[in-house]
Amino acid sequence: MKTLPQVLDEARKCVKCGNCMAQCPVYLETLEEPFVARGKLGLIEAVGEGDSEFSKRFSKILSLCLLCGTCAENCPNGIQADEIIRQARSLFVEERGLSLSQKTIFRYLLDSEQLMPLLLKGGVSLQHLFLEKIPEESGLRLRFPVPFIDQRRLIPPLAQDFFLDLHSGWVRAEKEVKRVGLFVGCVSNYLFPRISRAALDIFLHHGVSIYIPGNQRCCGLPAFGSGDEQTPLSLAQKNIEAFADEDLEKIVAPCASCASMLKLNYPLLFDESDPMRPQALTFSSKVTDASQFLGQFLGQMTISGGQGRKAKRVTYHDPCHLRRKLGIFKEPRSFLKALPGLEYVEMREANRCCGQGGSFNIANYDLSLKILERKIQAIEHSDADVVATACSGCLLQIMDGLHQQGLKKEVRHLVEIVDQATLL
Ligand code: SF4
Ligand code: SF4
């Protein structure tokens, strides 16, 4: 973890040119200086120089950031404002501690081996007591108000069977050409097992054997983005151990946010002196997002027959974690353009953040919906039947946005579309 003087040094490099203002999704909706990168970096400087302190207001202003990286992408001085803001959140947590709700969710739920699966298993049979079916949707909504969750929100039902309860250990391909590990992620495990199943289908079809540790855990990103470094470190240790026993060429994560956490942030959690650091670096070097893996390894084999009648129009939303953090944006489009039966149409501002931002959309639901509105308008303007993306958070957010606007469109993970279109 960086120290306050180190974070201050980084923040001071901002020359306050304001280039980041025109693109920041939060600033564009609020038009308030403290909410753009420049304002937040100024506040961090003030705290670093002793002119201000780690107050509740400091924490509130820093929390109004999606960590989308749009400011960093557009900064002529190469300032990684999103990373500096995240580090400042960690310094705040170090100084003032987590809130009670954060502590309960991160330390006692996410980081507990038994509690989260147990609670969610109970939730499968009890969910209809708390949630009611939205007649025109496949989703649910709260029957009565509960803290932290807005009653308007579309909530996907928990899966009857969690992915990791059905699939763990080795799943061998008939004619094995490669061996990889699969990092499932919470959304695919508990809500949409069909995503990991699609990845499994594609890999097996192409001779890729898959190792799925049954004891893998949450990647830790929700806690990490909120400034808690202790929970993600504990989860990282467990995930690295879970994949350690097998000789794997790659560890593939279908969710772009998980992939970015495992690849880019795990190395930050282990100090130079940590004996587990070399193992963490090896683990992270093997992690790859599913669309990159498909592009590099399966691309030519998978994509065949892009001709013929086009039954559906599909558009693609770039997850921030995939495009800005991992630099992947060509592969998903190449797949979608070449798949049989699909007509690809680029939506306007496809790389604009959808407003999900981890816990941002829970704590700031109205603002998150405002940011999402532009994305939904772009989707509507594209006239696509199907919206593809590659991150579980974006998937949930876009489903909710379409529901709020009363629009009927399929929202699918890229691997589901590739699976359906190529393996029929
Ligand atoms: S973060 Fe970069 S673009 Fe934004 S004001 Fe500072 S130097 Fe300018
Ligand atoms: S990371 Fe995104 S939301 Fe946060 S300041 Fe930068 S552009 Fe704005």
Side-chain angles (χ1 to χ4, degrees):
M1 185 175 151
K2 292 221 166 145
T3 60
L4 182 56
Q6 286 171 327
V7 175
L8 176 62
D9 274 354
E10 290 301 313
R12 273 186 180 143
K13 290 179 188 156
C14 168
V15 296
K16 313 288 185 284
C17 66
N19 264 27
C20 48
M21 296 172 93
Q23 281 88 17
C24 171
V26 173
Y27 178 73
L28 290 177
E29 297 303 332
T30 59
L31 297 179
E32 288 186 50
E33 174 75 16
F35 303 143
V36 76
R38 178 172 77 172
K40 294 185 175 94
L41 296 178
L43 186 62
I44 294 166
E45 277 181 65
V47 171
E49 283 160 2
D51 297 333
S52 187
E53 53 180 21
F54 286 114
S55 60
K56 276 195 175 165
R57 180 161 163 73
F58 175 83
S59 165
K60 180 66 195 165
I61 290 174
L62 289 197
S63 76
L64 283 168
C65 172
L66 294 150
L67 301 182
C68 64
T70 313
C71 44
E73 193 179 40
N74 291 287
C75 175
N77 298 304
I79 312 279
Q80 301 293 311
D82 53 331
E83 181 52 17
I84 300 171
I85 293 165
R86 192 211 49 83
Q87 287 162 359
R89 287 181 185 175
S90 293
L91 290 170
F92 179 86
V93 168
E94 181 85 346
E95 178 86 8
R96 301 283 301 265
L98 290 169
S99 69
L100 184 63
S101 54
Q102 286 177 321
K103 203 172 199 170
T104 311
I105 294 169
F106 300 153
R107 302 271 164 90
Y108 304 128
L109 208 59
L110 277 192
D111 198 20
S112 133
E113 195 178 338
Q114 307 292 345
L115 198 58
M116 188 152 91
L118 216 69
L119 272 179
L120 292 174
K121 271 194 188 115
V124 175
S125 42
L126 295 177
Q127 57 186 333
H128 292 288
L129 290 179
F130 301 98
L131 302 161
E132 63 183 354
K133 174 129 185 49
I134 301 172
E136 65 282 9
E137 296 271 358
S138 54
L140 306 166
R141 69 178 158 225
L142 284 168
R143 284 185 192 278
F144 39 80
V146 300
F148 307 119
I149 305 176
D150 194 286
Q151 230 176 327
R152 291 167 290 171
R153 184 187 283 275
L154 175 82
I155 303 174
L158 285 164
Q160 284 301 314
D161 296 301
F162 300 156
F163 182 83
L164 287 171
D165 288 341
L166 298 179
H167 307 274
S168 66
W170 274 107
V171 185
R172 301 276 183 189
E174 236 171 70
K175 290 178 188 158
E176 182 180 286
V177 293
K178 236 179 197 358
R179 295 163 147 222
V180 304
L182 182 70
F183 187 86
V184 176
C186 298
V187 171
S188 177
N189 187 30
Y190 300 120
L191 295 176
F192 303 131
R194 59 175 204 244
I195 297 175
S196 290
R197 224 152 22 222
L200 212 62
D201 281 352
I202 301 168
F203 294 168
L204 290 175
H205 185 79
H206 290 290
V208 180
S209 290
I210 303 125
Y211 180 62
I212 310 166
N215 57 347
Q216 60 181 283
R217 311 282 289 278
C218 169
C219 68
L221 183 60
F224 188 71
S226 301
D228 174 14
E229 295 200 11
Q230 186 184 317
T231 310
L233 175 63
S234 166
L235 289 166
Q237 288 162 342
K238 287 160 190 155
N239 281 325
I240 292 165
E241 292 290 355
F243 284 89
D245 290 341
E246 302 297 330
D247 181 23
L248 305 167
E249 255 180 76
K250 297 275 179 199
I251 296 166
V252 184
C255 171
S257 290
C258 298
S260 136
M261 177 68 193
L262 304 174
K263 193 160 190 70
L264 306 179
N265 298 332
Y266 274 19
L268 305 177
L269 294 168
F270 295 84
D271 291 340
E272 295 289 340
S273 58
D274 193 317
M276 208 173 167
R277 186 171 161 82
Q279 209 184 338
L281 294 182
T282 306
F283 173 88
S284 292
S285 70
K286 288 184 182 182
V287 171
T288 179
D289 170 79
S291 43
Q292 187 177 34
F293 180 72
L294 288 171
Q296 284 174 348
F297 173 62
L298 305 177
Q300 293 314 309
M301 288 184 281
T302 307
I303 295 180
S304 56
Q307 308 301 317
R309 198 172 68 84
K310 304 294 185 186
K312 283 186 175 175
R313 279 163 75 88
V314 62
T315 190
Y316 176 72
H317 159 71
D318 286 291
C320 297
H321 281 115
L322 196 58
R323 183 166 184 134
R324 298 200 179 85
K325 308 284 173 177
L326 294 170
I328 299 165
F329 56 94
K330 287 187 188 144
E331 292 88 340
R333 289 174 170 79
S334 306
F335 282 121
L336 293 171
K337 281 178 188 165
L339 288 172
L342 291 176
E343 179 191 347
Y344 180 73
V345 49
E346 180 82 6
M347 72 168 85
R348 61 188 188 210
E349 297 187 311
N351 65 348
R352 194 184 162 79
C353 177
C354 65
Q356 203 268 350
S359 54
F360 178 95
N361 81 98
I362 297 171
N364 309 287
Y365 188 64
D366 282 320
L367 180 53
S368 168
L369 279 187
K370 269 195 191 171
I371 296 167
L372 175 60
E373 224 173 275
R374 277 173 80 134
K375 178 62 59 183
I376 300 302
Q377 283 166 4
I379 292 170
E380 196 178 6
H381 182 259
S382 74
D383 199 24
D385 308 293
V386 185
V387 185
T389 192
C391 160
S392 317
C394 302
L395 203 78
L396 294 171
Q397 177 82 342
I398 292 171
M399 284 168 80
D400 189 25
L402 290 169
H403 164 68
Q404 301 302 332
Q405 301 290 327
L407 294 173
K408 292 257 169 291
K409 294 194 188 285
E410 263 183 74
V411 188
R412 295 282 166 195
H413 192 288
L414 185 71
V415 294
E416 293 181 84
I417 297 178
V418 173
D419 182 35
Q420 282 168 9
T422 61
L423 302 183
L424 292 176

